[in-house]
Amino acid sequence: MLELISLHQCFGGQQRFYRHDSTAIGLPMRFSVFLPTHADAGPVPVMFYLAGLTCTEETFMIKAGAQRFAQRHGIMLVAPDTSPRGAGIAGEAESWDFGVGAGFYLDATQAPWDRHYRMYSYIVDELFGIVTSKLPGDPRRAGIFGHSMGGHGALVLALRNPGKFRSVSAFAPIAHPSDCPWGHKAFGNYLGPDRQAWKQYDATELMRASRQPFPGGILVDQGLSDQFLDTQLRPEAFETACREAGQPLELRRHAGYDHGYYFISTFMEDHMAFHAKALGA
């Protein structure tokens, strides 16, 4: 059952928050939805936003300022939580960059994480199905974007499911998690020591193995004063992989901008317009 937790008028549309029992996760999950007024007339394009470490389904909707542009283009926005809650796994809340709030948008294969930490299947299959059947999202016009860990997730989900997601963009994504401390910690615990298994959740590795999966291009924005740029994000690795794969990529580097939502909100209008064009909104 899909339970409506709250509803708020926003730029003429509706900001909603939902809860449901997830079969993929095996626990209750929450997600947020912005519905533009266009949805009153039938299915509308839908964009999935994946948030970063420590965030929830509420973070993006409060901080990014995206609803104004979603209403303008007639696009539904969907933001899931970033990880399971209430799994009761020992140590899951000890680190801010692993466990609760840090699901990394993958399906864990290692115990005890493999029972509930299945965010990849949750978003690609279960949540996508809910949004396009119980809510007025058009399954033929879906895009995905995200920030940091969520930028990693957006790139990975899009590259692995180009028939499901027609457009993809990212803000300061963890672009090569197999080669950074955050990725080593998450992948090592969730997926185990076999680095071959890591490649299926690494955007740079997926791009290296592909050939122009998004001919319409990929948009990435990166702040040059981002405190995580040199140690965690590796956009240059993804840029090289795109060039070698013949994948059009617009990687915009911005002097003075850091990793937070001041940066994200500054360029949100550009990302909404990018997806609107690709989705025919």
Side-chain angles (χ1 to χ4, degrees):
M1 177 183 292
L2 191 59
E3 176 188 357
L4 179 64
I5 301 172
S6 64
L7 183 154
H8 316 272
Q9 290 300 119
C10 184
F11 292 106
Q14 291 186 349
Q15 179 62 57
R16 300 180 180 183
F17 292 88
Y18 287 99
R19 176 172 50 222
H20 70 111
D21 291 329
S22 167
T23 55
I25 301 295
L27 294 166
M29 291 293 291
R30 295 175 181 246
F31 65 94
S32 58
V33 173
F34 174 75
L35 281 178
T37 53
H38 308 64
D40 295 340
V44 293
V46 55
M47 287 173 56
F48 293 81
Y49 178 88
L50 308 185
L53 292 161
T54 76
C55 294
T56 70
E57 75 285 351
E58 190 176 37
T59 310
F60 169 74
M61 297 300 185
I62 290 177
K63 293 184 175 183
Q67 294 95 331
R68 179 194 302 270
F69 310 118
Q71 172 61 27
R72 178 187 302 169
H73 294 293
I75 295 174
M76 180 195 301
L77 296 173
V78 178
D81 201 351
T82 53
S83 68
R85 310 281 171 171
I89 299 174
E92 69 173 349
E94 290 181 359
S95 301
W96 69 274
D97 57 356
F98 179 75
V100 175
F104 269 82
Y105 304 104
L106 51 74
D107 285 352
T109 59
Q110 303 298 298
W113 312 102
D114 56 341
R115 181 177 179 185
H116 298 297
Y117 279 68
R118 298 178 50 80
M119 292 298 296
Y120 177 89
S121 290
Y122 171 68
I123 295 166
V124 170
D125 298 323
E126 187 172 9
L127 185 59
F128 192 96
I130 290 171
V131 166
T132 57
S133 62
K134 297 184 179 181
L135 295 171
D138 186 343
R140 299 164 299 175
R141 293 187 292 167
I144 190 166
F145 65 151
H147 167 235
S148 192
M149 177 185 72
H152 139 75
L155 292 171
V156 167
L157 268 61
L159 289 172
R160 290 182 57 175
N161 300 275
K164 181 165 283 189
F165 299 107
R166 285 176 51 179
S167 58
V168 58
S169 70
F171 298 91
I174 304 173
H176 193 14
S178 296
D179 193 27
C180 76
W182 279 339
H184 290 173
K185 184 174 184 177
F187 287 4
N189 283 281
Y190 291 140
L191 303 175
D194 181 6
R195 293 200 173 208
Q196 285 298 118
W198 297 9
K199 291 184 178 181
Q200 64 183 314
Y201 295 110
D202 186 312
T204 295
E205 296 294 344
L206 289 169
M207 186 58 72
R208 286 172 177 168
S210 67
R211 186 68 186 174
Q212 202 182 76
F214 287 90
I218 295 172
L219 174 63
V220 174
D221 278 302
Q222 175 63 59
L224 294 180
S225 292
D226 189 319
Q227 63 269 42
F228 303 114
L229 176 56
D230 294 335
T231 57
Q232 302 283 10
L233 304 182
R234 301 295 313 281
E236 72 286 349
F238 185 68
E239 185 177 38
T240 298
C242 285
R243 184 169 57 250
E244 293 174 349
Q247 169 62 54
L249 170 70
E250 186 175 8
L251 173 53
R252 308 191 303 183
R253 295 172 168 89
H254 305 280
Y257 286 92
D258 61 20
H259 196 69
Y261 272 84
Y262 297 114
F263 155 65
I264 294 170
S265 61
T266 299
F267 301 104
M268 181 55 61
E269 183 175 9
D270 293 351
H271 282 249
M272 294 299 299
F274 171 82
H275 286 272
K277 181 179 179 181
L279 301 177

